[in-house]
Amino acid sequence: FSLIEQCRTNGNVPKVVLLTATPINNTIWDLYHQLSLISQNNPKIFLKEGIFDVGKEFRRADKSDDSARINDIMQLIAIRRTRQYIRENYPDAKFRNSETGELETIRFPHRDLEEIEYSLDATYAGLYRSIAESIQKDLKLTYYNREAYKVAGKRDQMEVVKMQALAGIFQTVLLKRLESSVESFRTSVRNQIKFLQHFTDLFFNQKKLLRKEAFNKLLAYFEDEEESGVTADQLQTQLDARLQDISLDDYQSEKFRADLEKDIGIFQRMLREIESITTDKDAKLCTFKEKLLELKAEGKILV
């Protein structure tokens, strides 16, 4: 707040540089508030570019749940410079050494990359291909396609297409988790079983459904379970406070329940198949451990 007040009241408005790797972290409003700070709440900051009201653009994007609507704004403010770009366009770029005070030419360290191979099939005790195939072909990802289970007249075709895309994204997330590590995938599968069972009870017994903002929060969690800092149980408690009433008459209930139970059954089968793969049997983890032991004599290791 002191920074905002300084920008508003100082006769000589200071030049402020904000550095962030995540201008949009939770929602698009993160970016909006940063722009409001920079522009001192001027809605016409991009008037010359044909954007008459920044706030209105963000409200439209939020209402339609389409962050692509603000891509034009991102293009106007985002600066992206890779190492390769600097090398090619600014070969003589310099920086001031904080210790000597002298200007020195920027030099990027040369990286010697080494590829370490391991067998995913060995990591999953020969089950990798069958599990990957189940994710791609057997799972219906019913929950993420739930708009398609509405009866004719209640179905929003745009929402159907959007949810099909979400299901595809989540399918990719599961495959990435499968390749990441056995424990990572095991955690994701357990969370899916717990969530889908809970959702089934809420939907069919209590006639409740997550509100849109809660649904988006759930998706964000599943995309980054390991880094979220929140357990699945904690998240569930938060989400249960954001429910809305629904009518089962709006859905093809029997087909919806059957496909949900099929997904739960597939996840349960996957969990049984990988439950016995302990750390000493994880080929990827064992290969990594061997490499660490080989490198430890050379000094500090950053993972």
Side-chain angles (χ1 to χ4, degrees):
F1 290 109
S2 61
L3 177 59
I4 295 173
E5 289 305 312
Q6 186 181 23
C7 289
R8 286 177 177 168
T9 60
N10 242 347
N12 299 317
V13 179
K15 293 183 178 179
V16 179
V17 177
L18 301 178
L19 298 179
T20 177
T22 53
I24 298 176
N25 190 19
N26 296 309
T27 72
I28 58 172
W29 293 105
D30 295 338
L31 176 62
Y32 173 77
H33 293 306
Q34 292 172 66
L35 290 175
S36 297
L37 174 61
I38 296 169
S39 68
Q40 298 181 55
N41 290 321
N42 178 8
K44 300 187 183 300
I45 184 176
F46 297 122
L47 185 61
K48 290 181 179 178
E49 285 74 22
I51 299 173
F52 298 97
D53 188 323
V54 175
K56 189 175 289 185
E57 286 299 308
F58 276 84
R59 285 191 291 275
R60 286 173 179 164
D62 189 42
K63 188 175 181 180
S64 63
D65 196 27
D66 182 8
S67 58
R69 292 185 65 100
I70 59 171
N71 278 348
D72 289 345
I73 293 175
M74 286 295 292
Q75 292 297 323
L76 291 170
I77 64 171
I79 298 174
R80 184 173 180 268
R81 295 289 183 263
T82 62
R83 292 184 180 196
Q84 190 61 30
Y85 182 92
I86 298 295
R87 285 196 188 102
E88 292 175 357
N89 295 277
Y90 301 97
D92 300 320
K94 298 182 183 299
F95 74 101
R96 189 172 298 280
N97 188 309
S98 59
E99 294 182 0
T100 65
E102 300 293 324
L103 286 175
E104 298 181 12
T105 301
I106 292 176
R107 293 279 183 265
F108 292 107
H110 175 72
R111 294 182 295 173
D112 292 316
L113 302 180
E114 179 185 354
E115 189 173 281
I116 303 172
E117 295 186 357
Y118 64 93
S119 169
L120 269 172
D121 212 38
T123 296
Y124 282 93
L127 295 168
Y128 173 79
R129 294 184 187 282
S130 64
I131 293 175
E133 192 166 291
S134 287
I135 293 172
Q136 293 174 300
K137 296 181 180 180
D138 298 338
L139 277 176
K140 290 183 175 293
L141 297 174
T142 308
Y143 173 76
Y144 306 95
N145 274 313
R146 64 175 188 265
E147 187 71 20
Y149 289 87
K150 284 188 175 179
V151 297
K154 296 290 184 178
R155 194 181 308 146
D156 183 333
Q157 197 55 40
M158 288 293 290
E159 280 296 309
V160 171
V161 173
K162 190 182 296 183
M163 284 200 156
Q164 285 174 344
L166 285 174
I169 291 171
F170 186 66
Q171 183 183 68
T172 302
V173 168
L174 282 174
L175 289 169
K176 285 184 175 180
R177 207 79 85 227
L178 178 68
E179 293 183 2
S180 175
S181 75
V182 175
E183 188 56 34
S184 174
F185 183 65
R186 189 157 36 218
T187 298
S188 294
V189 171
R190 283 185 185 133
N191 286 345
Q192 280 300 303
I193 294 170
K194 186 181 294 185
F195 168 73
L196 291 177
Q197 288 175 334
H198 185 65
F199 167 76
T200 301
D201 175 60
L202 282 176
F203 190 89
F204 292 99
N205 298 330
Q206 301 181 44
K207 300 180 179 58
K208 299 283 186 181
L209 185 67
L210 285 180
R211 293 185 184 277
K212 181 178 177 181
E213 68 275 10
F215 175 68
N216 292 338
K217 185 172 183 177
L218 177 74
L219 289 179
Y221 171 79
F222 283 141
E223 284 182 28
D224 203 5
E225 288 170 287
E226 296 166 315
E227 301 297 329
S228 67
V230 178
T231 67
D233 289 338
Q234 289 171 332
L235 178 71
Q236 197 67 69
T237 300
Q238 295 173 20
L239 296 182
D240 281 353
R242 305 182 188 183
L243 300 173
Q244 65 184 37
D245 294 328
I246 54 99
S247 171
L248 292 181
D249 293 337
D250 292 346
Y251 292 83
Q252 304 170 58
S253 298
E254 289 186 14
K255 180 174 174 54
F256 192 27
R257 185 194 285 269
D259 286 350
L260 275 169
E261 290 176 351
K262 180 180 179 183
D263 280 349
I264 292 171
I266 291 171
F267 277 123
Q268 288 174 330
R269 188 196 73 217
M270 289 180 184
L271 187 60
R272 287 194 300 270
E273 289 175 341
I274 63 174
E275 202 66 72
S276 62
I277 304 176
T278 51
T279 54
D280 59 313
K281 298 175 184 176
D282 185 334
K284 180 177 181 179
L285 187 61
C286 291
T287 304
F288 179 56
K289 181 180 178 181
E290 289 170 8
K291 190 62 182 178
L292 288 180
L293 292 172
E294 178 188 323
L295 290 173
K296 70 174 185 177
E298 298 182 18
K300 291 182 179 179
I301 301 169
L302 177 64
V303 179

